[in-house]
Amino acid sequence: MRKQTSFVLTVAVSLVAATAFADDSPAPVRLDAEKMAGLNLTSIPPDAYSEILVGGELNMRVATLFEGTELSVSIFESTPAKTDHRTRPTDIDEFVYVLSGKLILTEPNGTAHEYLPGDSLVLPVGYTGTWEMKGNYRELVVVMQKGD
């Protein structure tokens, strides 16, 4: 009986210690499935990008799914629109995964790149081409946080 009590006590102490260490450790973050599907997103004021809008109507919505010290993950959605980034180049590297609609990026030299749901791309800092969203466009965006 004494051996069994000692074993149970050892297991209990081990579990408490493991739980204490687990609480200090980062845990995986599940991305919100409803927001990934375009539900409960926050509207962006339509004039936020008015100076680069060249076609369509920018009705955009967004949600931050994760904001860490080095990484940010968001959902972005827009009605059909086209923006020209010659005067407002991208200011951060972006990983983009297209969830719905179609994205057409056209470089200043005229080379067009088309992305459909399931496609992914990296848009480097300084991109100055056009960004055309067709259909109910929605994307998952992953960016590194800007340093201070």
Side-chain angles (χ1 to χ4, degrees), residues 26-97:
V29 176
R30 182 179 301 274
L31 301 182
D32 186 318
E34 286 190 356
K35 287 186 170 60
M36 295 275 289
L39 302 174
N40 303 317
L41 305 179
T42 302
S43 293
I44 297 173
D47 61 345
Y49 294 90
S50 60
E51 78 278 2
I52 61 172
L53 179 65
V54 293
E57 188 175 322
L58 278 174
N59 291 316
M60 302 172 291
R61 300 183 319 141
V62 67
T64 299
L65 302 177
F66 174 78
E67 185 95 28
T69 55
E70 296 182 11
L71 194 70
S72 176
V73 180
S74 302
I75 293 293
F76 170 84
E77 182 179 80
S78 177
T79 54
K82 184 175 183 179
T83 56
D84 186 335
H85 293 260
R86 281 182 283 187
T87 60
R88 190 173 176 173
T90 57
D91 60 354
I92 196 163
D93 294 326
E94 298 181 25
F95 168 82
V96 175
Y97 180 81

Side-chain angles (χ1 to χ4, degrees), residues 97-117:
Y97 180 81
V98 178
L99 296 168
S100 68
K102 183 193 303 188
L103 174 63
I104 302 169
L105 297 176
T106 304
E107 298 176 47
N109 68 9
T111 302
H113 307 270
E114 188 173 296
Y115 303 94
L116 300 170

